[in-house]
Amino acid sequence: MNYQILAPGTFSALQVSLDPGDKILTEAGTMAWMDPSIQVKTSSGGLMAGLRRAVLRGDSFFQNEYTSTAQGGKITLVAGQPGEIKAMELRGAPVILERGAYLAHTPGVSVDAKFNGLKGFFAEGLFVVYATGEGTLFYNAYGDILEVDVQGDYIVDNGYAVAWESSLNYTVTRTGRKIRTFLFGDGLVIRFSGHGKVWVQSRSAFSLANFMHPFRAIESKNS
Amino acid sequence: MKASVIGTDSFQSLHVELSPGERFYSEAGKMVRCSSGVDIEVTLQKKGGGFMGALKRLLSSDSFFYSRYTAQGTGTSEVVIAPTMMGNVRVLELKGDETWITSGGSYLASGPEITSEAKWQGLGAGLLSGESLMFVHNRGIGFLAVEAFGTIHEVDVNGEFVVDTGHLVAFESSLSFTVGKVGGSWIKSFFSGEGFVMNFKGTGKLLMQSHNGSSFGGLLGPLLPKRRS
């Protein structure tokens, strides 16, 4: 198996080339185009794991497994939002992904939703995605992905965190103590401490949705 | 304090480096990430602010509140601020003898000595332009960062220049303007779909954005489920 990130930058797409015996596991709904030699098998990865993924992570229930019957069969995967796609080589140490950042992985990696405890209650979802094992993990973001090497403490707005190394401790808190901070301004942030890398995206889907909201038509009272 | 633009063209952000004790302001809720020693406070107050100032800012399509970032500790701190839309950020260094007027929510951040005051852009002009009723007048010494939807284009106006209201980002106060139509009658202007334009006059710099947020909103809004209020 080999891969190439097509048009890296604003409109990235991931192209994976598979030989017979190779396999790539993907987030459902991300296949954009593929050769006819590519075969798909949809699995929930075991009922409980699938349920947890669907109900609690907020992503789709099913994970797709792609194989090829011919040498060098190509499949292209794209996320919903414009932005970067990146690959990460995992060597055992787990990486944590925010909801929606997961795109695909090779068979040596195992991916599971994990209950984040109450500290995740105000976060984007109750659950984050844990990726462990050995292999390649593909993740995506809205905007550019910037790497921050945390040595000590660092703060990232909840809407912009993409992924981080599990060597970091983290808590979700408010930025200020005052109520107006919560009501009107900066919301929740993730406070990291320790040593490790954090990946941050440069745009927020929440901000865009906020911008779009006033453009929606208003429901009439008697309908 | 050092303010610079980071990121690729489509997704630029503002990066601010602070020494201990230094502070700056941004539109509330725009922070991406920062060093842990940075104290973040949401405030109505900014130089030349106050409650009435905040009310007027709302009418300028900017946020009611500012976030204030103050560096504490001993080392250099960093703060990254992101725009709402895809596109460019521009940092302007103000020397104190000019006023930059920002329109329609394009104010992103500024240094502590910059005053930002929302002013009526002229009642008729505001209502007719279909854009915000207020423009924000920024002056003082320090940096002023503006955000745009798409690419920022700069023009040195010497004489006259016409800009669609939805494509305006900021301009120097040495320019005067009137709100009008794109030639012909008002009815013709309405049916041409060009809406209202600003006719600038004088000498000064003008920043425009390649894309119009209201047009994009107008495209997507009707496709979304209706809202209750």
Side-chain angles (χ1 to χ4, degrees):
Chain A
M1 188 210 94
N2 59 61
Y3 69 88
Q4 190 190 351
I5 292 165
L6 307 175
T10 310
F11 301 109
S12 326
L14 171 68
Q15 179 182 270
V16 182
S17 187
L18 301 169
D19 290 337
D22 288 345
K23 193 197 284 182
I24 180 105
L25 293 109
T26 74
E27 175 70 358
T30 56
M31 194 282 293
W33 56 84
M34 63 186 192
D35 285 338
S37 67
I38 302 286
Q39 307 294 313
V40 60
K41 198 176 111 197
T42 298
S43 75
S44 60
L47 184 65
M48 282 316 288
L51 265 179
R52 262 189 306 193
R53 264 207 307 279
V55 177
L56 303 164
R57 199 174 93 201
D59 288 335
S60 41
F61 186 98
F62 295 104
Q63 211 169 37
N64 290 335
E65 201 181 290
Y66 290 96
T67 52
S68 178
T69 53
Q71 291 287 321
K74 288 190 182 70
I75 171 167
T76 300
L77 308 169
V78 186
Q81 67 275 42
E84 276 196 281
I85 293 174
K86 286 204 165 176
M88 192 189 300
E89 292 304 323
L90 292 186
R91 288 184 191 83
V95 164
I96 299 159
L97 298 162
E98 267 280 9
R99 197 176 79 168
Y102 165 76
L103 180 62
H105 68 273
T106 59
V109 175
S110 88
V111 167
D112 198 10
K114 201 148 181 176
F115 184 55
N116 203 13
L118 273 179
K119 66 183 174 183
F121 188 72
F122 291 107
E124 292 208 294
L126 271 164
F127 278 64
V128 289
V129 180
Y130 265 67
T132 52
E134 300 207 351
T136 313
L137 172 71
F138 300 97
Y139 60 109
N140 53 248
Y142 179 28
D144 297 328
I145 299 173
L146 272 113
E147 183 178 294
V148 181
D149 204 358
V150 176
Q151 305 287 333
D153 297 308
Y154 204 77
I155 299 169
V156 179
D157 186 277
N158 188 42
Y160 293 91
V162 174
W164 57 92
E165 290 182 328
S166 60
S167 57
L168 287 164
N169 291 314
Y170 65 100
T171 51
V172 177
T173 60
R174 289 173 189 167
T175 49
R177 292 167 299 279
K178 293 180 180 164
I179 186 71
R180 66 182 184 210
T181 300
F182 179 62
L183 288 178
F184 303 109
D186 300 65
L188 296 150
V189 295
I190 306 178
R191 287 176 185 272
F192 292 100
S193 60
H195 299 280
K197 292 190 173 94
V198 179
W199 292 273
V200 182
Q201 64 186 8
S202 62
R203 287 296 183 277
S204 150
F206 181 75
S207 292
L208 180 64
N210 256 354
F211 175 86
M212 285 299 162
H213 178 74
F215 292 100
R216 294 165 67 189
I218 296 171
E219 204 169 57
S220 62
K221 285 210 172 84
N222 50 12
S223 70
Chain B
M1 184 174 322
K2 194 178 151 232
S4 54
V5 176
I6 58 166
T8 55
D9 278 358
S10 310
F11 299 109
Q12 289 182 341
S13 302
L14 174 72
H15 184 271
V16 182
E17 243 179 61
L18 297 169
S19 299
E22 286 187 324
R23 62 171 47 164
F24 76 100
Y25 294 83
S26 85
E27 194 183 358
K30 296 265 179 152
M31 190 203 78
V32 177
R33 57 192 169 98
C34 68
S35 309
S36 64
V38 175
D39 184 65
I40 309 161
E41 198 64 73
V42 174
T43 171
L44 280 171
Q45 300 284 342
K46 186 172 167 303
K47 264 195 136 181
F51 187 72
M52 279 314 289
L55 271 181
K56 287 202 258 175
R57 271 203 310 283
L58 266 188
L59 294 170
S60 73
S61 306
D62 281 308
S63 168
F64 197 64
F65 294 94
Y66 290 106
S67 290
R68 183 177 62 210
Y69 309 90
T70 311
Q72 288 161 344
T74 49
T76 307
S77 298
E78 63 170 357
V79 181
V80 175
I81 308 286
T84 303
M85 310 298 278
M86 291 177 69
N88 290 172
V89 171
R90 176 71 66 93
V91 175
L92 303 162
E93 291 295 339
L94 273 58
K95 306 247 169 353
D97 50 5
E98 76 274 63
T99 298
W100 273 91
I101 299 172
T102 52
S103 78
S106 49
Y107 171 90
L108 184 61
S110 60
E113 299 304 323
I114 302 286
T115 62
S116 300
E117 194 186 346
K119 283 190 178 170
W120 294 103
Q121 51 160 302
L123 184 63
L127 288 174
L128 290 175
S129 68
E131 296 297 319
S132 35
L133 293 170
M134 297 280 187
F135 280 165
V136 180
H137 291 237
N138 307 278
R139 69 174 72 89
I141 299 172
F143 83 89
L144 167 69
V146 294
E147 59 175 297
F149 181 23
T151 319
I152 293 180
H153 296 271
E154 186 181 320
V155 175
D156 274 306
V157 178
N158 192 0
E160 295 187 34
F161 200 78
V162 181
V163 183
D164 181 277
T165 48
H167 291 270
L168 184 67
V169 174
F171 58 97
E172 286 183 300
S173 64
S174 54
L175 292 168
S176 65
F177 69 91
T178 54
V179 175
K181 55 209 185 295
V182 190
S185 67
W186 288 96
I187 289 175
K188 206 185 259 174
S189 169
F190 180 78
F191 285 111
S192 73
E194 287 299 338
F196 294 97
V197 294
M198 295 176 70
N199 296 300
F200 284 97
K201 227 176 237 176
T203 308
K205 283 195 170 68
L206 181 60
L207 297 179
M208 296 159 300
Q209 57 189 2
S210 62
H211 286 67
N212 180 335
S214 299
S215 299
F216 192 43
L219 175 74
L220 288 184
L223 306 177
L224 297 171
K226 287 183 178 169
R227 61 189 165 109
R228 291 247 161 74
S229 61

